[in-house]
Amino acid sequence: MPSASLDRIDLNILKELQHNARLSNVDLAKLVNLSPSPCLARVRALESRGIISRYVALIDPAAVGLGLSVFIQVSLERQAEKPLEQFQSAVSRFPEVVECYLMTGDSDYLLRVVVPDVQALEKFILNGLTRINGVANIRSSFALKQVKYDTALPLAQADQAPRRVPSSARKGVKPSARDHRGKRS
């Protein structure tokens, strides 16, 4: 697959949008030293290529009653394609799971689960995770304090690395929840 070419202006657009996706096109254009029309064309191109996959609002979990963040290591009975796919399909249906990674090392998956309290965690584990076929072991660790949380990617480092178009963009998958801000001006 051809690598996605991003120039310095594209990277600057991405950096600005990572910090404030609600910028108007006029304000974004000023920040990246473009006129509004070319800036909007670049943003739309970044969206259509899947480099910008969606726009979201980041919510304080504690403010909405989800103050317990738990990391759960899951080991499966077998590490074959079908059991892995079945687990991934099952776990993707749980809204409590906000992140899920296929891992190397001692466990097969690492989940980040957000729940209101220990009772909700117990219910999730007993009525959710343990009922997925093939789960052999579950180990939980509670996060005591969030020391750092950032959704912005380190684009300065990415500027020096080879770039590839995300697989969702190569398959023609359109980004979801695209622009919650309405039309860009």
Side-chain angles (χ1 to χ4, degrees):
M1 289 289 155
S3 63
S5 59
L6 298 174
D7 63 17
R8 178 81 42 210
I9 294 171
D10 289 333
L11 289 171
N12 286 338
I13 288 170
L14 294 172
K15 287 175 189 174
E16 295 298 337
L17 288 176
Q18 282 189 119
H19 293 289
N20 184 359
R22 295 188 70 176
L23 285 169
S24 71
N25 183 59
V26 171
D27 291 338
L28 178 61
K30 286 177 188 173
L31 288 169
V32 299
N33 297 316
L34 283 179
S35 60
S37 183
C39 183
L40 181 58
R42 281 178 176 259
V43 170
R44 287 188 176 152
L46 291 166
E47 291 169 346
S48 69
R49 292 167 55 195
I51 295 168
I52 296 175
S53 61
R54 61 188 169 152
Y55 297 90
V56 299
L58 299 177
I59 299 169
D60 177 0
V64 293
L66 298 170
L68 187 60
S69 187
V70 183
F71 293 88
I72 301 177
Q73 296 177 352
V74 178
S75 297
L76 302 182
E77 293 169 353
R78 295 178 343 135
Q79 291 77 28
E81 185 176 355
K82 188 169 182 164
L84 293 172
E85 288 174 357
Q86 288 173 337
F87 178 82
Q88 291 172 37
S89 176
V91 82
S92 68
R93 292 190 289 270
F94 295 118
E96 300 91 343
V97 178
V98 294
E99 295 179 73
C100 176
Y101 300 94
L102 178 61
M103 303 295 291
T104 62
D106 295 336
S107 61
D108 296 310
Y109 289 94
L110 178 64
L111 312 178
R112 185 166 77 91
V113 174
V114 179
V115 290
D117 52 36
V118 174
Q119 292 78 20
L121 176 64
E122 178 185 16
K123 182 179 176 183
F124 168 73
I125 290 173
L126 295 177
N127 297 332
L129 278 184
T130 60
R131 295 189 179 187
I132 299 173
N133 287 334
V135 171
N137 188 26
I138 298 170
R139 291 178 40 197
S140 302
S141 298
F142 292 84
L144 297 176
K145 177 181 175 183
Q146 187 177 66
V147 176
K148 180 180 180 185
Y149 175 74
D150 200 344
T151 61
L153 297 174
L155 295 178
Q157 294 173 2
D159 190 26
Q160 295 138 16
R163 288 172 208 85
R164 295 178 53 168
V165 175
S167 60
S168 61
R170 288 192 298 262
K171 295 175 185 170
V173 175
K174 294 283 185 199
S176 60
R178 291 204 35 183
D179 193 346
H180 69 280
R181 297 165 287 155
K183 285 187 171 180
R184 292 183 157 270
S185 53

